[in-house]
Amino acid sequence: TQLLEQSPQFLSIQEGENLTVYCNSSSVFSSLQWYRQEPGEGPVLLVTVVTGGEVKKLKRLTFQFGDARKDSSLHITAAQPGDTGLYLCASHQILHSGGYQKVTFGTGTKLQVIP
Amino acid sequence: GAVVSQHPSRVICKSGTSVKIECRSLDFQATTMFWYRQFPKQSLMLMATSNEGSKATYEQGVEKDKFLINHASLTLSTLTVTSAHPEDSSFYICSAKIGLAGDEQYFGPGTRLTVT
């Protein structure tokens, strides 16, 4: 079973600071998604990365996929209070030739941005 | 597009009763739906994968007789928590995939279950 470790688990920063969240796996991802979840709501997809070394930008968020496709990072520039939430990485692993995909979520990073 | 709804959003039930949670894809057909459970301040744990017209595939440690999943149509999957106990209290979230291609899932808003 693929394990996804996220670090840090908790992060409390002041508005305007930069931060990076990491997602690491024991095995290769076929693809990796980053989600943000607010309390009492379902996760919202931020980005999907597929190619090793890929970098995607979404406004102040920069997502990077490791060359070996076993790790990924999310960097937020000039964090805002609205960035507060639980950030989750998730991977899909094809378990057999029939195409069944097992989805595994990372351990999560809870971010609090203080005004 | 790609909206997933869940009903109810919150439910309180007494121990020993059963509760049904619905997951609907509103503007697309979902051949595969997933059910997750999330405890406070923790990540999502996959409970089962539901394919339309076939039996659900349960993750290890999830009791299939306790968590009954039915995926009767391409837009509806239901999770029934049978003989609920306080330890079943949790946040249950479903997600759906569009067709067979692609890895992206779209999540419902979740259902908060409290068993008293």
Side-chain angles (χ1 to χ4, degrees):
Chain A
T1 301
Q2 186 171 41
L3 298 175
L4 296 181
E5 292 286 338
Q6 284 184 239
S7 61
Q9 278 188 293
F10 302 97
L11 194 54
S12 182
I13 62 172
Q14 293 290 330
E15 180 177 359
E17 292 184 358
N18 302 331
L19 66 117
T20 302
V21 177
Y22 299 92
C23 175
N24 293 285
S25 171
S26 55
S27 50
V28 175
F29 301 119
S30 59
S31 69
L32 183 127
Q33 289 79 41
W34 282 96
Y35 294 85
R36 185 168 75 94
Q37 184 184 24
E38 299 194 23
E41 298 182 12
V44 174
L45 179 66
L46 297 175
V47 78
T48 298
V49 287
V50 178
T51 307
E54 184 176 4
V55 176
K56 283 191 174 180
K57 291 196 173 186
L58 184 65
K59 296 183 180 178
R60 293 177 293 100
L61 278 59
T62 302
F63 304 87
Q64 188 158 5
F65 202 13
D67 290 340
R69 290 161 53 214
K70 295 176 69 174
D71 59 273
S72 180
S73 65
L74 158 60
H75 182 80
I76 301 179
T77 303
Q80 304 293 313
D83 296 327
T84 294
L86 179 67
Y87 288 82
L88 297 161
C89 62
S91 73
H92 290 75
Q93 187 181 8
I94 297 176
L95 293 185
H96 59 67
S97 60
Y100 170 60
Q101 293 189 351
K102 178 180 173 65
V103 180
T104 302
F105 274 85
T107 47
T109 295
K110 187 163 178 58
L111 170 65
Q112 180 184 34
V113 182
I114 302 168
Chain B
V3 177
V4 176
S5 70
Q6 278 185 244
H7 178 80
S9 57
R10 291 177 176 268
V11 57
I12 301 173
C13 70
K14 292 186 176 181
S15 186
T17 61
S18 296
V19 174
K20 180 185 284 188
I21 303 170
E22 292 185 348
C23 177
R24 292 181 186 273
S25 56
L26 297 185
D27 50 3
F28 65 98
Q29 292 186 331
T31 53
T32 305
M33 289 184 171
F34 303 89
W35 286 96
Y36 297 86
R37 184 173 180 175
Q38 185 177 33
F39 291 105
K41 300 181 181 179
Q42 293 188 23
S43 187
L44 281 70
M45 296 296 296
L46 180 64
M47 299 175 66
T49 301
S50 168
N51 292 294
E52 185 266 338
S54 62
K55 291 183 178 180
T57 302
Y58 289 81
E59 293 301 303
Q60 192 172 10
V62 178
E63 299 176 58
K64 59 183 67 176
D65 293 331
K66 181 168 183 63
F67 298 99
L68 300 178
I69 292 173
N70 185 281
H71 194 159
S73 77
L74 287 171
T75 60
L76 173 65
S77 177
T78 60
L79 167 67
T80 301
V81 183
T82 63
S83 187
H85 289 97
E87 57 265 31
D88 297 325
S89 298
S90 189
F91 193 51
Y92 292 87
I93 306 175
C94 72
S95 70
K97 279 183 59 178
I98 297 177
L100 297 176
D103 293 341
E104 296 185 6
Q105 306 173 66
Y106 297 89
F107 285 83
T111 296
R112 171 73 61 192
L113 170 63
T114 303
V115 184
T116 60

